[in-house]
Amino acid sequence: MEDSTIIPFPSPSPSTPSPFTSSHSRHVSRLINSNHYTSPSRTIYSDRFIPTRSASNFALFDINSSPETREDASTAYSALLRTALFGPDAAGGVSPDKRNSLAMSIPSRNIFRYKTETRRSMHSLEPFMSDETVPGVNYSPVKAPRKVSRSPYKVLDAPALQDDFYLNLVDWSSHNVLAVGLGNCVYLWNACSSKVTKLCDLGIDDCVCSVGWAQRGTHLAVGTSNGKVQIWDASRCKKIRTMEGHRLRVGALSWSSSLLSSGGRDKNIYQRDIRAQEDFVSKLSGHKSEVCGLKWSYDNRELASGGNDNRLFVWNQHSTQPVLKYCEHTAAVKAIAWSPHLHGLLASGGGTADRCIRFWNTTTNSHLSCMDTGSQVCNLVWSKNVNELVSTHGYSQNQIIVWRYPTMTKLATLTGHTYRVLYLAISPDGQTIVTGAGDETLRFWNVFPSPKSQNSDTEIGASSLGRTTIR
């Protein structure tokens, strides 16, 4: 706006004296129109106060106050208003290109939209500022990585826990009871009361090769070195039935509702419905060596199997031949885990000559990624609370690694076992894992957060630190 301290009010045109009138006439006219007469030698102010804005910096507000811009803006606004109210045909003869150019020429009228140079960093408002603040650097707080305790909170002595890569001797039930195969016996350890119960003794001529809890309830399957599968009701310490089929030891078990799958050294997988009278309802053939890994998917639609033939197969509920075959591993595949977060995501780990964790999408039948861990991969388990997984290893590091997926960054490396960490199970709340090794110990670790507090640093169970014997 212009500097406007003086605003003259001209006299009405009919009363304006002609330059050719006499002095007397001019005097009379001046008296009659005294309220409208402006003296050329005296400044007359109106009753309105219009301040001067010559010192105002309108550039900060991106406002152009020139009369030409105001006129163009008014014209553009009128044209656009007519178009909005009456349609494009009522734009007053303004072409679309002209209307677009007029719309683009409308200046911003929001005086609170400051230009870039007037913006202040949010950190400039903080009461305590660091002397090392660097302009242009984002000082937003970085989320601290979750802490994982490097020490087990409990250690159990497990005498006669076998150092055999192909066996699966530890499992944790939905009722918080740990089953462990020690020699020819199965022991139950209640995680709530720490009570130990001897479930069964197979005798001197037989040996426990695998244990597996049903997804719900208190049924426990026990695979033996004689090729049999026993079903026990753990709540009553009573054997329900014995099922045959395998000619050699049964080292792998996996439940899918009332269906139990068993894998043996005879290269076969048997599907057993514990409600049926028959020992098995179907036989799956495909592996060329001992089946040492079995896992049903969370939706109970796919069964993954790994063998000493370095193969990973995927079966469906009705197939007797594998529907997917993966041959990338170069050693035995015992470690198998389905993701609880993404349908069809499968992880598998290879033995000493392979050392890799591989990820597969069974929905698209694709190999997603591969991570060389540097050690024999013995077990894998996925967290149900966060998108992370744990791997246990044998030769030569004997370590436990917590990974974040899909970046596969290491959150923690846990050490303590002096032999291969061959056995792994996860607690029903998804926070604790138990590992077993040929050093005849079971170690309990807090590795995952709880579902309600994923950022909690509380070391659950640290107060129970100690060492006891499972039998």
Side-chain angles (χ1 to χ4, degrees):
M1 182 181 292
E2 299 292 337
D3 191 356
S4 306
T5 59
I6 302 175
I7 300 182
F9 289 86
S11 302
S13 56
S15 304
T16 303
S18 171
F20 302 103
T21 60
S22 63
S23 60
H24 176 73
S25 299
R26 288 196 296 272
H27 177 70
V28 172
S29 177
R30 191 162 53 242
L31 291 175
I32 295 173
N33 301 293
S34 59
N35 293 334
H36 306 284
Y37 177 74
T38 304
S39 172
S41 60
R42 188 163 61 98
T43 301
I44 303 297
Y45 294 94
S46 71
D47 59 346
R48 292 188 300 159
F49 174 71
I50 302 179
T52 176
R53 304 192 188 276
S54 59
S56 300
N57 187 1
F58 288 97
L60 290 177
F61 301 97
D62 197 19
I63 296 178
N64 190 344
S65 62
S66 64
E68 294 80 1
T69 304
R70 290 199 300 269
E71 184 178 350
D72 290 345
S74 177
T75 303
Y77 175 76
S78 300
L80 290 176
L81 182 60
R82 283 195 300 271
T83 302
L85 293 176
F86 306 108
D89 296 334
V94 182
S95 64
D97 295 337
K98 180 65 175 176
R99 286 198 299 270
N100 292 336
S101 63
L102 289 175
M104 294 298 293
S105 67
I106 297 178
S108 172
R109 290 293 176 185
N110 185 0
I111 65 172
F112 297 105
R113 185 188 295 173
Y114 290 91
K115 283 192 172 182
T116 305
E117 62 265 26
T118 67
R119 293 177 181 172
R120 297 176 62 193
S121 169
M122 289 300 294
H123 296 277
S124 66
L125 304 178
E126 295 178 359
F128 305 103
M129 289 294 295
S130 171
D131 294 336
E132 300 179 355
T133 301
V134 180
V137 177
N138 184 10
Y139 289 95
S140 58
V142 178
K143 184 178 179 181
R146 181 168 53 80
K147 294 181 181 179
V148 179
S149 176
R150 267 44 176 192
S151 301
Y153 71 84
K154 180 179 283 293
V155 179
L156 295 178
D157 285 325
L161 185 62
Q162 297 187 59
D163 183 29
D164 192 326
F165 177 80
Y166 301 100
L167 307 185
N168 293 274
L169 297 176
V170 177
D171 199 19
W172 207 327
S173 79
S174 60
H175 290 267
N176 212 13
V177 177
L178 191 70
V180 184
L182 300 178
N184 53 9
C185 299
V186 175
Y187 290 87
L188 305 179
W189 180 78
N190 190 306
C192 298
S193 63
S194 296
K195 179 182 178 182
V196 178
T197 303
K198 183 177 180 180
L199 179 67
C200 65
D201 187 339
L202 302 181
I204 60 174
D205 295 330
D206 207 349
C207 183
V208 179
C209 296
S210 56
V211 293
W213 287 102
Q215 295 169 338
R216 297 177 181 84
T218 59
H219 286 171
L220 177 70
V222 179
T224 73
S225 59
N226 288 339
K228 295 180 174 58
V229 176
Q230 299 180 0
I231 307 297
W232 287 77
D233 184 349
S235 63
R236 298 183 297 161
C237 290
K238 181 180 180 180
K239 182 168 66 173
I240 298 176
R241 63 184 298 185
T242 299
M243 294 178 286
E244 301 184 353
H246 291 288
R247 302 187 307 274
L248 301 172
R249 69 179 183 182
V250 181
L253 297 166
S254 183
W255 287 85
S256 171
S257 186
S258 60
L259 187 68
L260 173 64
S261 302
S262 62
R265 199 170 193 173
D266 58 4
K267 313 171 189 176
N268 296 321
I269 300 171
Y270 287 96
Q271 306 282 49
R272 310 172 187 273
D273 191 334
I274 62 173
R275 300 168 300 181
Q277 293 183 352
E278 297 82 9
D279 285 338
F280 58 90
V281 294
S282 63
K283 175 182 175 181
L284 312 183
S285 301
H287 285 286
K288 304 300 182 184
S289 188
E290 180 173 9
V291 178
C292 51
L294 276 180
K295 279 293 187 307
W296 275 98
S297 61
Y298 282 88
D299 58 7
N300 294 325
R301 294 183 178 180
E302 295 177 302
L303 173 67
S305 65
N308 198 30
D309 55 1
N310 310 343
R311 300 292 188 264
L312 173 67
F313 293 159
V314 177
W315 319 72
N316 62 28
Q317 294 172 312
H318 310 290
S319 64
T320 55
Q321 293 294 321
V323 294
L324 298 175
K325 297 182 180 181
Y326 300 120
C327 306
E328 280 77 1
H329 284 291
T330 57
V333 181
K334 176 193 178 186
I336 299 172
W338 292 93
S339 169
H341 309 290
L342 186 61
H343 174 72
L345 178 57
L346 176 63
S348 60
T352 307
D354 183 84
R355 306 180 305 275
C356 291
I357 300 175
R358 296 179 182 270
F359 295 92
W360 318 85
N361 187 332
T362 61
T363 303
T364 60
N365 189 21
S366 56
H367 181 203
L368 300 177
S369 61
C370 175
M371 168 63 68
D372 190 341
T373 67
S375 294
Q376 175 189 40
V377 184
C378 302
N379 295 278
L380 289 168
V381 68
W382 221 294
S383 167
K384 63 181 181 181
N385 302 334
V386 288
N387 200 13
E388 299 170 4
L389 68 158
V390 165
S391 59
T392 69
H393 300 269
Y395 302 124
S396 57
Q397 303 297 321
N398 303 331
Q399 79 272 47
I400 303 157
I401 303 177
V402 185
W403 308 86
R404 175 177 285 125
Y405 187 82
T407 59
M408 291 304 286
T409 53
K410 291 183 181 180
L411 294 176
T413 300
L414 312 177
T415 57
H417 285 291
T418 56
Y419 280 65
R420 297 181 295 174
V421 188
L422 297 176
Y423 311 112
L424 172 67
I426 189 168
S427 63
D429 65 4
Q431 299 181 63
T432 304
I433 61 169
V434 59
T435 56
D439 56 12
E440 299 186 344
T441 64
L442 296 173
R443 297 171 186 262
F444 295 79
W445 317 77
N446 289 310
V447 295
F448 295 130
S450 65
K452 296 181 180 179
S453 177
Q454 295 184 359
N455 297 322
S456 173
D457 295 332
T458 304
E459 296 182 6
I460 303 172
S463 60
S464 344
L465 181 62
R467 184 160 181 157
T468 57
T469 304
I470 200 169
R471 68 174 185 179

